[in-house]
Amino acid sequence: MVGIYDETAPQPFPIATVMSWETPLTTPAGHIPMWAITGVSVAASHRRRGIARIMLEGELHAAKSAGFAVAGLTVTEATIYGRYGFMPAAPIQRYSVDTRRAAWGPYEPAARVVFVDRAQLARDLAELHESTREDRLGDIGAWDRRWQQIAGLTPESEKPREIRGVRALDPEGRLVGAMAFTIGEGADHASRVFQIGHLVTATNDARAALWRFALSYDLVGTVTAELQPLDEMLPLLVRDRRAITQTVRDHGWLRILDVPEALARRPLAGPLGVRVRVADPQGIADGAWTLLQLGGEGLQTAPIDDGERVHVEMDIGALSAAYLGAVRLEEFAAVGRVRGDHAKIRELSNALRTDRSPHLSIWY
Ligand SMILES: CC(C)(COP(=O)(O)OP(=O)(O)OC[C@H]1O[C@@H](n2cnc3c(N)ncnc32)[C@H](O)[C@@H]1OP(=O)(O)O)[C@@H](O)C(=O)NCCC(=O)NCCS
């Protein structure tokens, strides 16, 4: 935790804060250590003097010198962090389902759903998050207090008694899913909303079981869920997918700090032979490299000289956004942030492809 104090101001509080810690980030081959950043704040009395910039650039340099290849954060405003090389790399979608219209389809989940108390809910969420985290690209390690907050167990929780919890058990009785939810007030039953606070599952069947539980809940008209993956299965489970409104939004932002290390720490689909130059306004990760991967061997990266011709040029934000496969480099090429030989852009873009949508399932 970093606090910045103004010696001329007669107040005991810091005028700016930032926090950071090491956490595992799920990549296509397990996880890598990530420098997570949160709590960026500058007092209203001290804004627009460059204090946030000093703190964030300090964080990035500290992370780089500590050997981290990637930094990450979640944001309240999407306009602040692009200038430091961060870009959305793990988007999510918000669901709103008109339950009367949606109607459950033919799939019959085998898992059964039972209620749990809030303390058990927090334990179930923690256990399932940890055991399934490496199935969700871009997800990170969580901490007990996050689950206590979601389960309404912390003192600042506004209406803890309204938070309910269920767990899904497979036919052998194993814990395979957990869900925190509230039922919002409404003028009548049709306007009441079943709000999913958190949903985590170890199997597709458990996910279907918990969705069905929500969609078939009596006396509510709408089910909402935040932080769902882009490849969420729900539209395939209902009879009328137009009953579902999906809103896609940025969620997990990444910032590569060390290009060769970050690329070497996730498998790339090969063969690959691209000479790439990466520009970095903070001067942390810029450089030019030959990226070479022949069949069966890992990635070999060799620096190339400044004057040498490269196939592809891009900024560090574009590469960070494409790191988990959520965005293709061609999309950045269309807006001029990736330039060069089209075939080589496609080659590198294909190498970064992943078979699942990234899914950062919590705020941090
Ligand atoms: C957002 C916040 C941290 C910025 O702090 P600050 O010290 O005023 O920022 P700086 O003076 O260092 O500005 C750095 C750059 O960010 C820009 N910036 C600052 N606040 C911004 C905002 N809210 N939206 C867009 N850009 C912003 C500045 O224009 C400046 O741009 P430039 O260097 O490219 O010219 C501060 O206003 C704050 O604490 N806000 C409330 C809490 C918050 O929103 N935290 C962010 C959590 S994700």
Side-chain angles (χ1 to χ4, degrees), residues 21 23-26 34 36-38 72-75 90-92 122 125-126 128-130 132-133 136-151 197-200 207 226-229 249-253 358-364:
W21 70 103
T23 189
L25 167 74
T26 303
M34 185 189 86
I37 299 173
T38 192
L73 40 72
T74 55
V75 311
I92 44 89
L125 294 173
L128 281 161
H129 180 83
E130 197 50 30
T132 61
R133 172 166 56 74
R136 292 184 295 275
L137 291 176
D139 216 344
I140 68 162
W143 55 100
D144 284 347
R145 194 174 164 79
R146 173 54 77 239
W147 306 121
Q148 286 162 4
Q149 286 167 330
I150 289 173
H198 196 82
L199 170 64
V200 59
R207 203 161 185 87
E226 312 286 333
L227 305 189
Q228 298 308 306
R249 231 198 53 186
D250 64 279
H251 181 49
W253 291 55
H359 182 206
L360 169 62
S361 66
I362 55 171
W363 284 96
Y364 65 90

Side-chain angles (χ1 to χ4, degrees), residues 40-43 46-55 74-77 79-81 83-84:
V40 178
S41 74
V42 176
H46 288 69
R47 279 185 194 151
R48 306 300 181 268
R49 299 186 198 174
I51 296 173
R53 176 175 284 280
I54 286 169
M55 293 195 301
T74 55
V75 311
T76 44
E77 282 185 67
T79 49
I80 300 176
Y81 298 98
R83 59 173 58 76
Y84 307 110

Side-chain angles (χ1 to χ4, degrees), residues 183-194 217-222:
I183 306 293
E185 294 297 324
D188 52 32
H189 297 146
S191 59
R192 298 205 317 164
V193 181
F194 184 118
Y217 207 86
D218 281 337
L219 310 179
V220 298
T222 307

